[in-house]
Amino acid sequence: MCRLSGTTLRYPPFFPLPRFDGKAPLLAVLVVPFVLQVIAAVGLTGYLSYCNGQQVISNLAGQLASGVGDRVEQRLSQHLQTPAEVTRNNAAIMQFELLDVNDRPILERYFKHQLKIFADVNSVALVDARNNFLAVVKRSGDLIALPASKTASHDELNRPSIESAETFLLPGLGSFNDLERQATESWFLAAKSAKKPLWRLSVRLTAAEEPSLTAMHLQPLYDRANRFQGVLAASASLSDLSRALQHLKIAETDRVFIVESNGLMVANSDDNQPFRRFLREKKRSELTPVDVLPATVAPPSVVAYRRLNAVSSHDFLTQQAASSVVERFKSFDRIQSRQQFRLDVDRQRYFVYVEPIGRDQNLNWLAVVVLSEADFAEAISANNRLTLWLCIGTLITATLLGWLTSSWIARPILRLSRASRELALGEWHYPVEDDSRVAELEVLVHSFNQMAVHLQKSLDQVKIALQESEAKFTKVFRASPDAITIALLFARRYIDVNDRFLEFTGYTREEVIGQSAVSLNLPANPAQVDRFEQLLRTHHRVRDVEIDYRNKQGQLRTVLVSSDIIELEGQTCLLSIYRDITERKQAEAALFESEQRFRSAFDTTAVAMSLAAPDGRFLQVNASFCKMLGYSEAELLTLTFQEITDPDDLDATMASVQRLLAGEISYHHLKKRYLHKDGRRIWCLLSVSLVRGRKQQPLYLVAQMQVMTYPYY
């Protein structure tokens, strides 16, 4: 900072005071990251709690479904184990001929005895290899032997009958879905061709005329020679299986049902039967003598039942679950292992588990367990809500504590910040109070106060040095041999000039202050001014730009201008220094003119001339010299005058040159012989002078050669 005529000159500071526009305050820097961390931790905790709850729900549902599936498998085995054991035992007894297959009375008593022992078995039957048929069934608590068919035709065994449909397990007409009918084989041929035990399902009407699904176990019979002897059968009602599913310990909103691989319902846990009731016309073969009608009269209608496919179940949830299974896996028969998925029905989420069962009985059945998420989620949801409120409370508490703690920490730092700004502006007068209870902050405040005291002392010293610098600058400004001006950067009006500028322009100080160079008509060449402005805009400084100025008297003066941009009392100014080079330019012009005259005389004179270095190298030769010796200019510039001097005259020539270099003589004349390019010797009158520099150092020899037609010896 320098003062000129009562003004203060300020240079741009190296370290400007920071501005806080767009910057975050300290309190926000301390609080926001802390709050964000708390939010992240609380949010992550809540999310993990929710995920853990969902995982717990899924695990509990899976465990419950697995338990339900095991109980269903166990219950199914209990229902089907007895008919299977009956047929296997009968086959073993008859194979070892402990019971005669052909002794029908004994067989009938034996079958009745078995039905008395095994309460779960509804009927026992035998069809031997000669198509003789014998069956004993339970009906209304009594054991009834169906009329034995001694010569049952092949067609009777392969085609179901109305009587067998209503009384025994054989697939019946009219009462069954088309999916139950076997197109090419009856239960007899199926067991015979399979050569292994298998199961068949059929529907029979109870005494109350209600449909009941029955499972029939078929066992091929062979003698000791492994010859086919017939087919044994035993059946058990599956109505108890549905009642067992209803008594499973599951919620009212849950469902359990069993389906075959073709999708037909076997049993279900709801109150609906797995049948669909419809009306059909009686076939004429089914009419009794009372019902006989003319051929033109339609037979009466009778009630019939079809087994339901799971996707057409009476229960909506069962229907949706079955449809989802088919949609996901294309069909039930593709499921060979336990599968599970989630199902949304009426804004309620369910867990669906599908597990194959009855594999040990050669049954390709599936147990489907549908569990409501709400059964498990109530306690977990309450826990999640409690966790959410705790997280919110933790977040609020942590935020308040963070705010209070940050304020407590930031308060002394903010005081330090204000004191630092006051110190930077020179307005600091009192030390900062060190009342903080944080040890590090107390040390920081104490160190700041000490630093401020030392800095104040340094500032005082700087002020003294600055005042001295201002005085020196003022002296330099006033006494400079070069013209100096300070003008506003944009308006270019002069606010101060030194005496040399006034002498240079011929104006008084009053005439210059407040005016610009253009208004004073100082620039003589606008192009030079434009170049100056371009350099200043590009580089923000100008160095030694040549500009022609016209003074008040109209005289042209040439100056070298150097300019810098400075700050002066809050205003941007231009400091310019002008060096007058008018006399130097005139001297350069005179020298150029002299050189041009010498060059013209050197090149056009008829006298041979050359310029040679002190060591003899030719620096310049004219055309007359080249013509005299027969060399081209390029050839001579590669030679020395010693090489084209006659050896007999070389010593005298070098002696004269040495005297010139030593300053003993200023020139010399000499008759000497030059060697022509073709070898001839040419006599010349040689005049040589030496040109010296400013420091009297030898620069070059100037030689003039005149050919002597009649040389003097």
Side-chain angles (χ1 to χ4, degrees), residues 345-409:
V345 178
D346 291 339
R347 299 181 181 180
Q348 294 291 330
R349 175 164 290 183
Y350 296 87
F351 297 97
V352 180
Y353 296 87
V354 185
E355 185 172 0
I357 59 174
R359 296 297 174 88
D360 56 340
Q361 299 286 348
N362 294 322
L363 292 173
N364 192 17
W365 291 0
L366 298 170
V368 182
V369 182
V370 184
L371 303 176
S372 174
E373 186 183 55
D375 299 339
F376 309 92
E378 183 176 356
I380 294 177
S381 298
N383 181 65
N384 288 340
R385 288 192 296 270
L386 177 60
T387 302
L388 176 61
W389 285 112
L390 289 176
C391 289
I392 294 174
T394 302
L395 176 61
I396 295 174
T397 304
T399 302
L400 292 176
L401 290 177
W403 181 271
L404 295 176
T405 304
S406 301
S407 301
W408 181 49
I409 296 174

Side-chain angles (χ1 to χ4, degrees), residues 503-507 550-556:
E503 295 174 4
F504 165 69
T505 60
Y507 290 96
R550 183 183 292 105
N551 61 15
K552 187 176 182 180
Q553 292 77 25
Q555 297 174 347
L556 286 177

Side-chain angles (χ1 to χ4, degrees), residues 335-542:
I335 301 176
Q336 301 299 324
S337 60
R338 184 180 184 183
Q339 303 292 334
Q340 65 182 52
F341 60 91
R342 294 188 179 187
L343 172 66
D344 292 327
V345 178
D346 291 339
R347 299 181 181 180
Q348 294 291 330
R349 175 164 290 183
Y350 296 87
F351 297 97
V352 180
Y353 296 87
V354 185
E355 185 172 0
I357 59 174
R359 296 297 174 88
D360 56 340
Q361 299 286 348
N362 294 322
L363 292 173
N364 192 17
W365 291 0
L366 298 170
V368 182
V369 182
V370 184
L371 303 176
S372 174
E373 186 183 55
D375 299 339
F376 309 92
E378 183 176 356
I380 294 177
S381 298
N383 181 65
N384 288 340
R385 288 192 296 270
L386 177 60
T387 302
L388 176 61
W389 285 112
L390 289 176
C391 289
I392 294 174
T394 302
L395 176 61
I396 295 174
T397 304
T399 302
L400 292 176
L401 290 177
W403 181 271
L404 295 176
T405 304
S406 301
S407 301
W408 181 49
I409 296 174
R411 191 177 298 111
I413 298 177
L414 293 176
R415 288 202 298 265
L416 287 176
S417 176
R418 287 193 296 269
S420 299
R421 292 181 61 84
E422 293 173 356
L423 182 62
L425 296 174
E427 300 174 356
W428 182 80
H429 304 289
Y430 302 100
V432 180
E433 297 181 2
D434 54 352
D435 57 351
S436 175
R437 296 184 180 181
V438 180
E440 289 77 4
L441 291 178
E442 183 179 0
V443 172
L444 179 62
V445 171
H446 182 69
S447 300
F448 175 82
N449 289 332
Q450 288 183 335
M451 180 195 67
V453 172
H454 292 302
L455 185 58
Q456 189 66 40
K457 293 180 180 179
S458 300
L459 287 176
D460 294 338
Q461 295 175 357
V462 169
K463 287 180 180 179
I464 296 173
L466 187 57
Q467 292 173 356
E468 295 176 353
S469 176
E470 290 175 356
K472 292 179 182 179
F473 181 81
T474 302
K475 290 180 181 179
V476 171
F477 184 81
R478 299 302 178 195
S480 174
D482 295 326
I484 303 176
T485 64
I486 300 175
L488 297 176
L489 178 63
F490 300 106
R492 299 299 171 87
R493 293 193 305 270
Y494 295 118
I495 60 176
D496 203 355
V497 297
N498 66 352
D499 296 337
R500 176 58 184 151
F501 183 78
L502 298 176
E503 295 174 4
F504 165 69
T505 60
Y507 290 96
T508 63
R509 186 177 302 278
E510 291 74 14
E511 292 174 328
V512 171
I513 299 301
Q515 300 295 323
S516 65
V518 176
S519 63
L520 294 174
N521 199 26
L522 293 178
N525 190 340
Q528 294 175 335
V529 177
D530 293 341
R531 179 172 177 269
F532 174 86
E533 296 293 342
Q534 179 65 31
L535 291 173
L536 185 63
R537 285 193 298 269
T538 304
H539 303 289
H540 304 291
R541 58 185 297 184
V542 176

Side-chain angles (χ1 to χ4, degrees), residues 274-288:
F275 307 101
R276 185 179 299 278
R277 180 176 179 178
F278 69 100
L279 297 176
R280 70 171 181 86
E281 293 181 354
K282 272 190 176 184
K283 294 186 177 181
R284 294 191 177 273
S285 59
E286 300 173 350
L287 297 176
T288 63

Side-chain angles (χ1 to χ4, degrees), residues 40-331:
V42 171
L44 181 60
T45 301
Y47 174 74
L48 293 178
S49 176
Y50 173 77
C51 292
N52 184 60
Q54 294 300 112
Q55 185 64 38
V56 169
I57 292 174
S58 180
N59 293 339
L60 289 176
Q63 294 175 6
L64 178 58
S66 178
V68 171
D70 293 341
R71 290 197 296 273
V72 170
E73 178 81 23
Q74 180 182 5
R75 191 64 179 175
L76 180 64
S77 298
Q78 292 175 355
H79 271 75
L80 302 181
Q81 182 179 5
T82 304
E85 288 180 354
V86 168
T87 55
R88 284 196 296 268
N89 292 337
N90 291 344
I93 292 174
M94 294 178 186
Q95 183 179 14
F96 290 100
E97 298 179 356
L98 299 177
L99 190 63
D100 189 0
V101 177
N102 299 317
D103 192 348
R104 295 309 173 101
I106 296 297
L107 286 177
E108 181 178 336
R109 289 195 300 272
Y110 179 71
F111 288 166
K112 289 181 178 180
H113 182 69
Q114 283 185 319
L115 292 180
K116 292 179 181 180
I117 296 175
F118 301 106
D120 294 336
V121 179
N122 293 331
S123 61
V124 182
L126 168 66
V127 179
D128 61 17
R130 296 186 298 275
N131 297 333
N132 294 320
F133 177 73
L134 174 64
V136 178
V137 299
K138 289 180 181 178
R139 179 178 293 177
S140 301
D142 298 328
L143 300 179
I144 301 174
L146 297 181
S149 218
K150 295 183 180 180
T151 57
S153 66
H154 180 76
D155 184 63
E156 289 176 332
L157 294 176
N158 287 275
R159 189 174 59 197
S161 65
I162 298 299
E163 182 180 2
S164 63
E166 294 179 345
T167 60
F168 194 56
L169 306 179
L170 305 179
L173 290 173
S175 299
F176 306 100
N177 193 316
D178 292 338
L179 292 174
E180 292 179 284
R181 294 194 181 102
Q182 303 298 322
T184 58
E185 60 180 11
S186 70
W187 59 275
F188 175 78
L189 292 183
K192 181 179 180 180
S193 60
K195 297 181 179 180
K196 64 179 181 180
L198 52 85
W199 289 90
R200 281 289 184 270
L201 297 184
S202 65
V203 178
R204 70 183 183 89
L205 295 177
T206 64
E209 297 297 324
E210 293 293 333
S212 175
L213 187 62
T214 303
M216 179 175 62
H217 187 264
L218 305 176
Q219 175 75 40
L221 177 61
Y222 297 92
D223 60 10
R224 292 187 178 183
N226 203 27
R227 290 187 297 268
F228 179 75
Q229 299 297 314
V231 176
L232 290 167
S235 69
S237 174
L238 296 180
S239 300
D240 293 340
L241 183 59
S242 293
R243 287 190 290 272
L245 295 182
Q246 295 173 7
H247 288 84
L248 290 174
K249 293 182 179 180
I250 57 176
E252 294 182 0
T253 56
D254 300 336
R255 295 291 184 272
V256 180
F257 58 93
I258 302 173
V259 295
E260 292 187 81
S261 60
N262 55 13
L264 293 177
M265 296 279 290
V266 175
N268 56 320
S269 62
D270 57 81
D271 296 333
N272 300 305
Q273 292 184 342
F275 307 101
R276 185 179 299 278
R277 180 176 179 178
F278 69 100
L279 297 176
R280 70 171 181 86
E281 293 181 354
K282 272 190 176 184
K283 294 186 177 181
R284 294 191 177 273
S285 59
E286 300 173 350
L287 297 176
T288 63
V290 179
D291 297 329
V292 174
L293 299 173
T296 57
V297 179
S301 297
V302 295
V303 176
Y305 296 89
R306 287 193 180 96
R307 289 183 60 194
L308 277 179
N309 194 295
V311 297
S312 302
S313 173
H314 300 297
D315 183 70
F316 180 72
L317 181 57
T318 301
Q319 180 188 119
Q320 292 296 313
S323 299
S324 297
V325 172
V326 174
E327 181 179 353
R328 286 176 176 269
F329 306 103
K330 306 306 179 184
S331 63

